[in-house]
C-alpha cells in the first residue's frame, strides 16, 4: 500500500466491503483537498520569492537530473535558479546539482511514491535559507521517478513538464494518460538513442495530442546538447516580462 497517496492495492487482496471502500475514497478526497490548499499557498510563496516553479515528472532514469545540469550550465549566469529534489532515499541528485553552483534541497520520502505540497512547502523555506534571502527566477522541482501518483498532486508549480525517454517505449502516454494529460509540455528525451530502440515518435506524439490537443512536444538529448536551445527558449518564454 502507498502510505502517502492512500491507494489500497495489496497483492492478492480481495474486494473491500462497500462501506470500507467509501471510507477510503473520503480520506483520499480529503487528502487531495488539503494538498491543493497547501499548493495554492506554495504558489503564492513562490511568487513572493520572485520565481516561476516547474514540476518535472517522469519515470526513473528518463534524464531529469541530467537535463537540470545542462540547463543550469546554460542559464546560471543569467538567472537565479533553485532546485528541490525528490527521491525515496539519498542526497545524490541534490549533490549533483550543488556541484553546478546552485542551491538544491533534497526531500526524501522514505518510500513515498511522490512529493506533495506540504513537503514542498518545507523545501521552499530551506531553499530560501540556502539562498540567503535572494530572489529566484526559476525553481525546479524534480519529482520522484513515477508516472502514476505525481499526476494527482499539485505542488504549487506554475508549469508541469513530463519527460518521456526513448528507452521507455512509445506506448507510455497511452498507458499513463493522467500524467501526460496534466502536462504543459512534454520533453522527448534521449533522442540520440532512437537508432537503437523501437520507439515510434509519431505514435507517441499522436497519443499525447489525443490526450491533450496542441500539447507542445520538444525532442532533446541533454547529454549531447541537442534540442537544448528550444528548451531554454521555452523557459525564457514563461518568465515574467
Amino acid at each position: 500500500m502507498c502510505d502517502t497517496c492512500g491507494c489500497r492495492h495489496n497483492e492478492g487482496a480481495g474486494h473491500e466491503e462497500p462501506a470500507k471502500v467509501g471510507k477510503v475514497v473520503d480520506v483520499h478526497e480529503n487528502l487531495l483537498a488539503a494538498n491543493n490548499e497547501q499548493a495554492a499557498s506554495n504558489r503564492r510563496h513562490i511568487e513572493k520569492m520572485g520565481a516561476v516553479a516547474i514540476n518535472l515528472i517522469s519515470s526513473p532514469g528518463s534524464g531529469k537530473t541530467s537535463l537540470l545540469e545542462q540547463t543550469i550550465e546554460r542559464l546560471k549566469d543569467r538567472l537565479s535558479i533553485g532546485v528541490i529534489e525528490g527521491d525515496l532515499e539519498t542526497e545524490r541528485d541534490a549533490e549533483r546539482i550543488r556541484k553546478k553552483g546552485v542551491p538544491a534541497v533534497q526531500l526524501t520520502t522514505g518510500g513515498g511514491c511522490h512529493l506533495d505540497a506540504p513537503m514542498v512547502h518545507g523545501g521552499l523555506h530551506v531553499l530560501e535559507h540556502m539562498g540567503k534571502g535572494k530572489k529566484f527566477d526559476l525553481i525546479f522541482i524534480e519529482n520522484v521517478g513515477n508516472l502514476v501518483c505525481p499526476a494527482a498532486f499539485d505542488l504549487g508549480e506554475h508549469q508541469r513538464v513530463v519527460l518521456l525517454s526513448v528507452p521507455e517505449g512509445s506506448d507510455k502516454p497511452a498507458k499513463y494518460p493522467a500524467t501526460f494529460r496534466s502536462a504543459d509540455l512534454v520533453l522527448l528525451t534521449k533522442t540520440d538513442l532512437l537508432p537503437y530502440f523501437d520507439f515510434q515518435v509519431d505514435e507517441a506524439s499522436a497519443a499525447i495530442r489525443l490526450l491533450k490537443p496542441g500539447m507542445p512536444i520538444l525532442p532533446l538529448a541533454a547529454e549531447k546538447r541537442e534540442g537544448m536551445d528550444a528548451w531554454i527558449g521555452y523557459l525564457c518564454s514563461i518568465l515574467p516580462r
Side-chain angles (χ1 to χ4, degrees), residues 33-77:
N35 181 85
N36 291 342
E37 183 176 349
Q38 182 62 64
S41 177
N42 287 354
R43 205 157 9 251
R44 292 190 294 270
H45 187 167
I46 291 164
E47 288 164 1
K48 286 182 180 178
M49 294 169 71
V52 169
I54 298 174
N55 182 4
L56 297 174
I57 297 176
S58 77
S59 298
S62 66
K64 295 189 299 297
T65 309
S66 294
L67 175 67
L68 286 177
E69 289 175 319
Q70 297 299 328
T71 301
I72 291 164
E73 285 188 8
R74 293 279 192 110
L75 291 177
K76 68 179 181 180
D77 293 333

